[in-house]
């Protein structure tokens, strides 16, 4: 009977969800990766939290004895169009993607852990450190680095010399995809660049698992590893508009979650674009988005005052909605981006 062992496992976790979210993304495999895995008799298997690569136990020596680096590159393609709205990630940029390389983080593995967990980013949750240049073969290096540059990989210089405005990256690097360093005489720092396989062009992120490429990725270190990508939920400021039907605003608005009072701004009378009167309040701190809000319900206690009158007309208790991820709005103020969720309470 053929026995299989786990070569490595990859899981994606997100604080927005209360469990796996595999329905919101797809793992992309290139034709070259499929061919390589077939040659080593490896199996790709989806799991609830990601995927696993399995190999025949009696064929493991083919991997462990390889003199050449064995490269597994997968794309993460998001199927949820609002993923950026509820995830703490940087806005999409044309020449940037999230890159997850075990060669960078394999040495951080907890050797005492039986599961051999390796987080594929610098902190417990995904940060900007993984957001790198990710360029296709049609990209013209002159746009960023000028006419004279050096491109190198772990083996040394790959290209050194001058280029013109029409030179494309694919002409310099052929189809040797992966990580490179670009250096120019005009720049003090070296840029890390990931040269992208065209089949992964639509991916939000790239996972690169290497075997036998360095001392960090020797077969014995990688075998059985559980690679993890942990994404934080976006924190947004909650804004409620309490919309009046009789030209009044609310002098006092207190927001509660169960018995706990939540700090919001003082009520501000506003006129909406459609001419309706409303009272606006915004949370003083950003609150993490969640697919399901557990615990006590959120409600407001309103003290309404007729416009121009100082006499209170009573206290209303109204249960409030939670943010709609389709309506998250980014606002730039002095270079700082803040995210807001605007919610309207009608017919008050």
């Amino acid at each position: 009977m053929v026995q299989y062992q786990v070569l490595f496992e990859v899981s994606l976790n997100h604080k927005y969800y209360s469990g796996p979210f595999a329905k919101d993304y797809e793992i992309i495999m290139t034709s070259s990766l499929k061919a390589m895995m077939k040659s080593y008799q490896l199996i790709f298997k989806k799991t609830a939290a990601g995927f696993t690569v399995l190999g025949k136990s009696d064929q493991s020596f083919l991997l462990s004895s390889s003199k050449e680096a064995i490269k597994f590159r997968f794309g993460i393609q998001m199927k949820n169009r609002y993923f950026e709205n509820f995830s703490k990630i940087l806005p999409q940029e044309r020449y940037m993607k999230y890159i997850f390389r075990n060669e960078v983080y394999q040495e951080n593995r907890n050797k005492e852990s039986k599961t051999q967990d390796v987080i594929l980013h610098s902190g417990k949750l995904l940060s900007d450190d993984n957001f790198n240049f990710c360029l296709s073969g049609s990209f013209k290096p002159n746009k960023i680095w000028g006419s004279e540059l050096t491109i190198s990989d772990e083996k040394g210089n790959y290209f050194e010399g001058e280029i013109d405005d029409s030179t494309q990256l694919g002409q310099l690097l052929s189809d040797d995809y992966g990580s490179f360093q670009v250096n120019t005489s005009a720049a003090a720092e070296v840029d890390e660049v990931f040269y992208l396989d065209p089949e992964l062009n639509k991916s939000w992120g790239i996972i690169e698992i290497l075997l036998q490429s360095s001392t960090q990725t020797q077969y014995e270190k990688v075998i059985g590893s559980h690679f993890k990508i942990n994404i934080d939920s976006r924190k947004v400021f909650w804004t409620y508009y309490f919309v009046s039907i009789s030209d009044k605003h609310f002098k006092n608005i207190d927001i509660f979650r169960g018995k706990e009072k939540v700090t919001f701004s003082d009520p501000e009378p506003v006129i909406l674009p459609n001419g309706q009167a409303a009272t606006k309040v915004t949370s003083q701190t950003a609150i993490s988005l969640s697919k399901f809000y557990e615990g006590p319900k959120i409600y407001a206690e309103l003290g309404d005052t007729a416009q121009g009158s100082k006499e209170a007309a009573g206290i209303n208790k109204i249960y409030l909605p939670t943010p709609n991820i389709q309506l998250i709005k980014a606002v730039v103020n002095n270079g700082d981006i803040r995210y807001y969720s605007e919610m309207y309470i009608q017919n008050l």
Side-chain angles (χ1 to χ4, degrees):
M1 181 178 177
V2 177
Q3 291 188 332
Y4 285 87
Q5 64 177 346
V6 174
L7 180 58
F8 60 83
E9 179 180 358
V10 177
S11 66
L12 281 70
N13 308 288
H14 199 307
K15 292 187 73 175
Y16 173 78
Y17 302 85
S18 58
F21 67 111
K23 291 183 179 180
D24 278 0
Y25 66 86
E26 182 179 0
I27 299 299
I28 306 300
M29 299 175 64
T30 64
S31 54
S32 60
L33 174 58
K34 291 177 181 177
M36 182 274 286
M37 290 183 62
K38 185 177 181 180
S39 69
Y40 283 105
Q41 302 181 61
L42 303 176
I43 296 176
F44 172 90
K45 183 179 180 181
K46 290 184 179 179
T47 64
F51 64 91
T52 299
V53 173
L54 305 166
K56 292 182 178 179
S57 299
D58 60 359
Q59 298 293 315
S60 61
F61 71 93
L62 295 175
L63 297 170
S64 61
S65 60
S66 175
K67 301 299 182 183
E68 296 292 328
I70 301 172
K71 304 174 182 180
F72 298 84
R73 293 196 190 100
F74 306 88
I76 308 170
Q77 189 166 322
M78 293 303 170
K79 297 161 68 175
N80 189 327
R81 62 185 295 187
Y82 301 107
F83 185 74
E84 186 179 308
N85 283 13
F86 61 82
S87 305
K88 189 181 178 183
I89 56 176
L90 291 171
Q92 277 190 326
E93 289 191 33
R94 186 177 179 186
Y95 300 122
M96 306 288 283
K97 291 185 187 295
Y98 280 92
I99 310 296
F100 307 98
R101 303 176 58 218
N102 75 314
E103 190 168 43
V104 178
Y105 301 103
Q106 189 78 49
E107 62 182 349
N108 295 334
R109 192 186 84 189
N110 182 356
K111 296 181 180 179
E112 297 178 359
S113 171
K114 293 181 180 180
T115 56
Q116 302 181 145
D117 292 348
V118 180
I119 298 177
L120 293 177
H121 37 80
S122 56
K124 292 182 179 180
L125 294 167
L126 178 61
S127 69
D128 300 350
D129 293 344
N130 290 73
F131 201 52
N132 291 17
F133 277 118
C134 196
L135 307 175
S136 65
S138 61
F139 178 78
K140 297 177 181 179
N142 181 269
K143 287 184 177 181
I144 296 178
W145 296 291
S147 60
E148 188 172 344
L149 72 163
T150 300
I151 304 177
S152 58
D153 58 12
E154 68 278 358
K155 296 178 182 178
N157 287 352
Y158 201 98
F159 172 84
E160 184 176 8
E162 293 188 10
I163 59 173
D164 57 34
D165 295 351
S166 63
T167 303
Q168 297 183 349
L169 189 63
Q171 296 174 265
L172 306 178
L173 300 180
S174 183
D175 60 353
D176 193 7
Y177 307 110
S179 180
F180 291 87
Q181 290 75 45
V182 179
N183 191 16
T184 67
S185 58
E189 296 183 359
V190 176
D191 285 323
E192 180 85 14
V193 172
F194 198 91
Y195 177 40
L196 186 67
D197 188 309
E199 292 181 67
L200 302 179
N201 191 46
K202 293 183 179 180
S203 297
W204 164 81
I206 308 298
I207 301 169
E208 182 184 73
I209 307 300
L210 299 182
L211 278 176
Q212 307 291 85
S213 65
S214 65
T215 56
Q216 281 76 32
T217 61
Q218 292 174 354
Y219 177 83
E220 293 77 14
K221 287 189 175 183
V222 176
I223 184 70
S225 291
H226 182 178
F227 300 108
K228 295 184 176 183
I229 298 169
N230 301 318
I231 304 171
D232 198 3
S233 177
R234 185 174 296 290
K235 294 178 175 62
V236 305
F237 292 88
W238 294 20
T239 295
Y240 288 106
Y241 291 91
F242 297 89
V243 184
S244 170
I245 58 175
S246 58
D247 288 333
K248 64 182 179 182
H249 72 270
F250 298 92
K251 184 177 180 181
N252 299 301
I253 300 178
D254 294 321
I255 310 293
F256 295 87
R257 185 169 186 172
K259 295 181 179 180
E260 180 185 357
K261 186 175 181 180
V262 185
T263 305
F264 273 69
S265 63
D266 293 333
E268 176 188 353
V270 295
I271 302 298
L272 300 178
N274 64 359
Q276 285 184 291
T279 307
K280 172 185 175 182
V281 295
T282 299
S283 62
Q284 295 288 62
T285 59
I287 303 171
S288 292
L289 294 172
S290 179
K291 188 174 180 66
F292 303 103
Y293 291 90
E294 299 177 351
K297 291 185 177 181
I298 300 172
Y299 65 91
E301 289 186 351
L302 311 180
D304 55 329
T305 303
Q307 192 169 34
S309 171
K310 296 182 180 179
E311 295 182 3
I315 299 294
N316 295 326
K317 181 178 179 180
I318 299 175
Y319 287 98
L320 301 176
T322 52
N324 182 341
I325 60 168
Q326 299 181 22
L327 302 177
I328 303 301
K329 181 172 69 174
V331 176
V332 180
N333 185 14
N334 295 326
D336 180 37
I337 301 179
R338 284 192 169 192
Y339 292 83
Y340 291 85
S341 172
E342 296 184 334
M343 295 160 280
Y344 294 81
I345 317 302
Q346 302 281 353
N347 302 321
L348 299 175

